[in-house]
Amino acid sequence: MKLLTHNMLTSHVRGVRPGAGFPLRIQATEVKVNNVDFNQEFVARMIPKVEWGALVEAAESLGHLSDLPPQLPPEYESNEDFLRKVHHVLLEVEVMEGVLKCPDSGREFPITKGIPNMLLSEEET
Amino acid sequence: MARGPLPRYLLLLAQKNLEFRLPEIKSLLSLCGGQFSSQQEIRINSPFWILNIPSEEMARELMKRTVCAKSIFELWGQGKSAEELYTSLKNYPMEKMVPYLHSNSTYKICIHAFNKTLTQEEKIKRIDALEFLPFDGKVNLKKPEHIFWILEDYGMDPNNIPEEPLHSYFGRWIADGQRELIESYSVKRRHFIGNTSMDACLSFIMANHGRVKANDVVFDPFVGTGGLLISSAHFGAYVCGTDIDYNTVHGLGKASRKNQKWRGPDENIRANLRQYGLEKYYLDALVSDASTPIWRKGMLFDAIITDPPYGIREATRRTGSQKEIVKATERGYTEKIIPWHPCLKLISNCEQMLSSHTSRRLITMEKVKEFEDKDQYSHLLDCQYLLYKGHNSFREKYFSGVTKRIAKEEKDNQK
């Protein structure tokens, strides 16, 4: 699971108040770092879609903060150094094994071979 | 600057997926910054369409995406007879011809007849008849700078081929379409397939209907083996998919290929993208039930491209509530049965026959406004509000005696 995807995921367990299921806490037992071609335009395009605080928190919890600032710098679109750091965190760091934990209900969603399992039982939906 | 009429281009289309062609070309033209425009009626089922496109550059951009069209030509002349064609060519402005005919250039002239096979003699005769055109360059059959084509339309009926062409065209070849992708991305050679993998041509058509472009994020909530993601990734979109079936997402279990029992280690969605050099566009695959969305609020995806289950190959599963409810009228299909949502505008609706009594429809919708709280009740005010039995109506008919009876009747009629 990449951190770009993690930033879009929310818990959908029944009873969790809207907004309280995000962001899912990552407890990783295996993290992999890959090389992915840097695409400046794509990264710049994703930044407005991303919840910046949640991204920084997730990267930090995996030990891959990579000097990401806690706030977005102004005029980041042309700041290649900054965008490369964001690229690394969004697309190159992958959680291979672990769990995603709902911050409200505590429900855990396992991640196996990089693939999160978000299925809920009938009672939970 | 006076605005004259737009330049005219002749589009030569493949005679496959007929209903899908116009929406594909329309979507692509708008993606390229233009719009679909033709001074004359397009004969929808004909392989020849004349389009007004503002520039050669836009025509090339169109051809970089289309899998429905074979080639595009700058149209120099046309007619319902040879004489009309020659007159039309004589009326084509000389200053537009000269750049491609001057003495330093090389060229060749080819000829293509639709619905007829011409003999070598007939071909030469037609090419020679164009001697009145001021070709000053040298003929080069191997690698000419400019290629010109005579295209003849002998109608649509292979059992009734006229002596003379119904229409003749002459044009300068600009570019070919992307039909070669159909072969290079063929499911036959793909590492990871499922029982319901979408054929390559249709998956490219869907990406085109969806106006997918580079740096988009595309999502498939019924991703299966990822076939639909591949075409979007080919066009430079980053892709993500979910599926309710754990084994499919992980690439486990029984293989779909004949002669193969179990799936190998290299069979999963990511590996499919890797096979085509598209791994960098892989975002993620997740196991998830599409009816209970896992995404937070926000404009996350540029396009959702999917082939949902029809309820006939997989075990039926209760997947929860549906937002809108639509009623099946007598036989089954009318326009009213198309899912409707206040934020979505219907762009196109194309039918593909699957057998003599079943078909499926590709629906394209565009989000035109943000969802507001009041929208959740808007279907109650619409006069198209109807009741629908859901997947089950198709499933019931498919497995019922009705369809078996129709199939038997057809068989009897063939005797």
Side-chain angles (χ1 to χ4, degrees), chain B residues 16-80:
Chain B
K16 300 254 166 70
N17 302 118
L18 297 188
E19 265 201 47
F20 295 77
R21 303 186 309 184
L22 186 58
E24 195 216 34
I25 301 298
K26 278 186 173 174
S27 293
L28 290 179
L29 280 171
S30 92
L31 185 62
C32 299
Q35 62 183 58
F36 182 82
S37 151
S38 174
Q39 277 167 330
Q40 43 197 96
E41 260 308 295
I42 294 283
R43 284 166 297 132
I44 271 291
N45 291 336
S46 162
F48 299 102
W49 290 359
I50 298 178
L51 301 180
N52 304 329
I53 303 177
S55 69
E56 184 170 317
E57 200 196 316
M58 194 180 286
R60 287 179 189 279
E61 289 302 305
L62 169 66
M63 299 315 279
K64 282 190 190 143
R65 290 288 301 244
T66 177
V67 288
C68 289
K70 289 180 169 173
S71 313
I72 202 164
F73 309 87
E74 180 184 57
L75 190 63
W76 286 18
Q78 60 161 129
K80 292 196 174 78

Side-chain angles (χ1 to χ4, degrees), chain A residues 5-26:
Chain A
T5 309
H6 166 260
N7 198 269
M8 309 297 178
L9 290 174
T10 181
S11 167
H12 51 305
V13 174
R14 187 166 26 151
V16 170
R17 290 153 290 140
F22 175 86
L24 294 162
R25 309 259 174 265
I26 312 178

Side-chain angles (χ1 to χ4, degrees), chain B residues 202-414:
Chain B
L202 209 39
S203 77
F204 280 105
I205 288 176
M206 287 172 78
N208 283 338
H209 280 202
R211 295 177 26 146
V212 171
K213 55 193 181 303
N215 300 331
D216 274 358
V217 181
V218 172
F219 174 57
D220 183 353
F222 300 95
V223 72
T225 57
L228 289 182
L229 296 183
I230 294 173
S231 51
S232 289
H234 173 83
F235 292 133
Y238 288 75
V239 296
C240 175
T242 63
D243 203 286
I244 202 168
D245 184 37
Y246 183 96
N247 281 349
T248 309
V249 183
H250 280 264
L252 304 168
K254 289 217 168 110
S256 290
R257 290 218 139 81
K258 205 169 124 180
N259 305 333
Q260 190 186 338
K261 194 144 185 252
W262 299 103
R263 294 206 158 113
D266 198 28
E267 290 190 52
N268 53 58
I269 299 164
R270 191 174 200 153
N272 269 350
L273 288 169
R274 191 182 307 133
Q275 177 185 353
Y276 302 114
L278 301 171
E279 194 175 354
K280 66 181 174 192
Y281 297 111
Y282 175 84
L283 288 177
D284 268 300
L286 303 94
V287 183
S288 165
D289 183 336
S291 69
T292 50
I294 52 179
W295 310 104
R296 63 166 167 86
K297 275 200 162 122
M299 282 285 284
L300 306 177
F301 304 116
D302 296 283
I304 296 176
I305 302 190
T306 193
D307 182 22
Y310 312 150
I312 55 176
R313 279 194 186 130
E314 294 83 22
T316 331
R317 209 179 212 102
R318 282 198 54 203
T319 50
S321 67
Q322 287 170 291
K323 286 233 164 80
E324 65 275 331
I325 343 173
V326 172
K327 177 183 182 181
T329 58
E330 307 140 1
R331 286 289 151 220
Y333 176 72
T334 68
E335 275 265 324
K336 294 178 186 177
I337 222 177
I338 310 272
W340 175 88
H341 191 283
C343 300
L344 299 176
K345 173 178 150 198
L346 180 67
I347 304 288
S348 66
N349 169 3
C350 307
E351 183 177 17
Q352 181 195 33
M353 298 309 295
L354 298 175
S355 71
S356 56
H357 49 277
T358 56
S359 67
R360 62 181 173 183
R361 292 185 169 270
L362 173 60
I363 312 285
T364 306
M365 296 199 264
E366 186 178 337
K367 181 174 176 181
V368 292
K369 77 180 191 85
E370 290 300 325
F371 188 82
E372 297 166 83
D373 279 339
K374 62 180 163 85
D375 286 327
Q376 59 187 318
Y377 302 115
S378 53
H379 60 286
L380 296 172
L381 301 172
D382 193 274
C383 55
Q384 285 187 341
Y385 175 64
L386 303 160
L387 278 151
Y388 178 53
K389 286 198 281 186
H391 284 325
N392 293 330
S393 66
F394 176 70
R395 181 190 168 85
E396 278 160 18
K397 281 207 185 124
Y398 188 85
F399 287 120
S400 78
V402 174
T403 50
K404 289 194 183 126
R405 210 180 314 132
I406 295 173
K408 186 180 179 301
E409 276 167 40
E410 285 178 339
K411 223 173 140 189
D412 289 334
N413 290 339
Q414 280 163 17

